[in-house]
Amino acid sequence: MNQTVTLRIRRTSGWARFTVNVSPDAYVLDALEAAERQDPTLLFRHSCHHASCGSCGLRLNGRERLAC
């Protein structure tokens, strides 16, 4: 069963909110990809499986983390 998650993302024009449905075992990256489907102008870096580990770094609740 999916759960609803609200993302608050800092954009150049201010803060944007995205409410997405993801599975309980989803990663933050999964939620970002769901938000991108709502707003294709949302950009974020990730290179999973391309030997660029760490490129999905972000600040999550004030702490540096990886989205994957």
Side-chain angles (χ1 to χ4, degrees):
M1 183 169 171
N2 283 351
Q3 60 186 21
T4 302
V5 183
T6 301
L7 302 173
R8 195 173 133 224
I9 299 174
R10 188 173 173 179
R11 314 256 340 232
T12 55
S13 60
W15 292 91
R17 285 189 187 273
F18 296 92
T19 301
V20 297
N21 290 313
V22 293
S23 66
D25 59 342
Y27 295 98
V28 175
L29 184 57
D30 298 320
L32 286 170
E33 289 173 341
E36 182 187 31
R37 287 191 289 276
Q38 293 177 19
D39 181 354
T41 67
L42 181 63
L43 300 176
F44 52 93
R45 287 184 51 108
H46 68 289
S47 293
C48 300
H49 310 293
H50 295 285
S52 294
C53 191
S55 68
C56 67
L58 51 81
R59 182 163 296 163
L60 178 63
N61 295 331
R63 299 176 67 187
E64 287 77 23
R65 298 282 186 228
L66 296 177
C68 62

